[in-house]
Amino acid sequence: MRGLHADTGYLMYRLGLRSGQLFNTFLQESGLRLRHYALLRFLATSEGTLQRELSTRLGYDPSAIVGLVDDLEKLGFAERRPSPDDRRSRIVVLTADGRGFLRDTDEAGLRVTNELLDPLDATERETLHTLLQRVAEDGLT
């Protein structure tokens, strides 16, 4: 019988947990968690996104998105606005304070990633990133 660490899916799961723990530790001072950070990073790539699309794109339950956006609004990092295409719908937009928070956390985020990937050299890290992108594009879109 194969050992547990021979299972790639399990290793990815464990690394995901470890990555989440490291990111949550670094975010702890701000009162945010990795889910907030992921939402902010996603919003930084758009001019505004419908809440229901955030749920789909990030893989979070719609009710979780509502709470996350509420938290980010309270901090002034995001705001809800009427959709220009449908006034009944709301888009979520990153604010200037949200962009500032992301800029301020860039270095800490890189430190977390570097700690997680410490056993790998630069070429291995680039290869891993490329492979993960390929898997994510196929399986997470």
Side-chain angles (χ1 to χ4, degrees):
M1 182 175 278
R2 294 182 319 140
L4 189 55
H5 287 150
D7 186 320
T8 303
Y10 175 76
L11 289 173
M12 289 173 50
Y13 166 75
R14 288 291 303 187
L15 288 171
L17 285 177
R18 180 69 180 135
S19 177
Q21 290 167 341
L22 291 171
F23 267 94
N24 281 330
T25 298
F26 118 72
L27 289 168
Q28 196 168 15
E29 288 178 22
S30 67
L32 299 181
R33 305 215 16 103
L34 181 56
R35 295 179 130 214
H36 296 101
Y37 185 77
L39 179 54
L40 287 171
R41 283 278 167 213
F42 183 83
L43 290 175
T45 65
S46 73
E47 293 297 318
T49 306
L50 293 170
Q51 278 191 199
R52 66 179 169 270
E53 185 181 339
L54 288 171
S55 174
T56 302
R57 297 291 301 241
L58 294 171
Y60 298 163
D61 186 82
S63 63
I65 291 292
V66 171
L68 292 170
V69 174
D70 286 348
D71 293 344
L72 294 175
E73 273 193 315
K74 287 176 190 166
L75 292 168
F77 292 168
E79 64 183 23
R80 291 176 176 97
R81 295 181 184 162
S83 170
D85 301 327
D86 179 359
R87 294 280 177 192
R88 294 170 294 166
S89 297
R90 308 293 277 171
I91 60 171
V92 182
V93 178
L94 187 66
T95 64
D97 286 348
R99 286 188 194 287
F101 174 79
L102 288 175
R103 273 192 305 277
D104 292 346
T105 60
D106 276 345
E107 187 177 317
L110 288 174
R111 280 196 310 270
V112 167
T113 299
N114 287 335
E115 181 178 335
L116 185 67
L117 301 180
D118 186 54
L120 305 179
D121 65 32
T123 302
E124 291 170 325
R125 288 176 187 208
E126 188 173 321
T127 300
L128 176 62
H129 186 82
T130 300
L131 293 171
L132 289 172
Q133 276 185 313
R134 200 161 83 204
V135 171
E137 286 171 4
D138 187 54
L140 299 178
T141 53

